[in-house]
Amino acid sequence: MDSLIDYLPEDCLYHVLSLTFPRDAYNFSLTATRFRSVVNSDVMWQAFLPSDFVSILSRVVNPVMFTSKKDLFFKLSKNHVLIDRGTMSFGLEISSGAKCYMISTSLLKIASTDTHYLYWRRISHPDSRFAEVVERIFPVRLNIVGKIDSKSLSSNTRYGAYLVYKLTKTCRDISYSIGRMRQQTSVTVGRQIRKSTVYLEPFYVKYTSAKEQFDLNRFTFKGLFEKSEFDNNVEITAKERDDGWIEVEMGTFYVDKEEDGEVEMKLQSIEGSLLENMIIVQGIEIRPKH
């Protein structure tokens, strides 16, 4: 017995599947042969690519070779490509097709990187997407600011901004280290601002004895319930990434259909707080958050 799907016009199937997400369309293709032929077409995958993908491809450092729009989509969702003379990277989230970026340190405003070489220096790093990263070589307060135009992001999407870095020297005294590594982050879009208190070391996985874990929890929970000067202030701990770097969420924001303006992301040391670790900053990554 034929399926009713077999009698639907192809244009109708294109329209319906284009209203879903790439992962949904792929799952549909596993359920019926008719879906499979539609999902494998260039027309279908062009609907999942950003409307300005041709313009974005014109900005890549090394040309992206692809055999079909589906091939292009999966290449961009698997690995970021460098754009704008290597100052940013671009990719797609595989489940939704939403745009993702990483802003390199060449576009970030980092206090003292250009004027006080005793504090920061620009170096190359084998694990970085970019030609240069910045390394702090003297324990001064952090002040890192990044900006991106909301028009370059996918509309109707909730994003998270993440500082991506490495710590090259760990404090031995945990009680001293934790008390001095709290940082303040903020994400500002228009009149909306979201602030958080963050810890740059993913210390939860590093201390396992019962006494150390008790002391750590006691310290952390004390800070967690302290009254903040910001109504939307929360505390966030960094985590290790699969690529060997560490990331900490700087905040979340929503880009609606009519969003027009600048997104500012900032991390700075809290007064009286000084991170002892030497830190290498790769950039700020902006990606969808579900």
Side-chain angles (χ1 to χ4, degrees), residues 50 52 56 59 80-81 83-84 88-92 98-104 129-130 148-154 159-162 164 283-288:
D52 59 345
I56 293 172
R59 297 156 54 193
H80 276 220
V81 293
I83 61 173
D84 298 344
M88 297 181 70
S89 70
F90 171 81
L92 298 175
K99 299 176 183 177
C100 308
Y101 292 91
M102 184 183 283
I103 307 171
S104 76
R129 298 177 184 176
F130 307 109
I148 191 169
D149 191 334
S150 62
K151 285 184 178 180
S152 65
L153 301 171
S154 298
Y159 277 95
Y162 304 85
V164 181
I284 294 178
E285 187 169 76
I286 301 100
R287 63 177 188 262

Side-chain angles (χ1 to χ4, degrees), residues 12-205:
C12 178
L13 290 177
Y14 281 131
H15 177 70
V16 171
L17 291 177
S18 69
L19 299 177
T20 66
F21 292 115
R23 182 170 292 174
D24 298 327
Y26 174 77
N27 289 335
F28 277 124
S29 71
L30 301 179
T31 64
T33 303
R34 186 75 190 283
F35 277 137
R36 193 173 304 126
S37 61
V38 172
V39 168
N40 285 331
S41 69
D42 259 10
V43 175
M44 185 77 266
W45 287 96
Q46 180 156 338
F48 290 139
L49 288 167
S51 58
D52 59 345
F53 79 93
V54 174
S55 174
I56 293 172
L57 290 181
S58 70
R59 297 156 54 193
V60 301
V61 174
N62 297 309
V64 181
M65 308 303 294
F66 57 95
T67 57
S68 65
K69 301 293 174 54
K70 180 181 179 181
D71 182 39
L72 174 62
F73 178 91
F74 280 103
K75 282 186 175 179
L76 293 177
S77 61
K78 184 177 181 181
N79 294 302
H80 276 220
V81 293
L82 294 179
I83 61 173
D84 298 344
R85 299 179 299 281
T87 60
M88 297 181 70
S89 70
F90 171 81
L92 298 175
E93 187 197 37
I94 191 168
S95 62
S96 66
K99 299 176 183 177
C100 308
Y101 292 91
M102 184 183 283
I103 307 171
S104 76
T105 56
S106 63
L107 296 182
L108 301 181
K109 181 180 179 182
I110 302 178
S112 303
T113 51
D114 297 318
T115 57
H116 293 84
Y117 295 101
L118 291 176
Y119 303 148
W120 294 88
R121 64 178 178 178
R122 295 191 178 276
I123 62 171
S124 61
H125 195 286
D127 298 332
S128 175
R129 298 177 184 176
F130 307 109
E132 286 188 336
V133 297
V134 294
E135 179 182 29
R136 192 187 68 166
I137 56 177
F138 188 81
V140 292
R141 295 181 66 197
L142 300 178
N143 191 343
I144 301 171
V145 182
K147 297 180 180 180
I148 191 169
D149 191 334
S150 62
K151 285 184 178 180
S152 65
L153 301 171
S154 298
S155 62
N156 301 320
T157 303
R158 182 173 179 246
Y159 277 95
Y162 304 85
L163 182 71
V164 181
Y165 58 96
K166 285 180 181 283
L167 298 177
T168 60
K169 178 184 176 183
T170 303
C171 297
R172 294 182 178 181
D173 183 351
I174 181 173
S175 61
Y176 175 77
S177 172
I178 294 176
R180 294 172 65 85
M181 74 172 79
R182 290 192 306 157
Q183 314 295 321
Q184 186 77 54
T185 63
S186 65
V187 174
T188 305
V189 186
R191 296 182 178 180
Q192 301 297 318
I193 181 170
R194 185 179 183 87
K195 296 192 176 185
S196 307
T197 298
V198 302
Y199 294 93
L200 294 184
E201 185 177 344
F203 49 80
Y204 282 113
V205 298

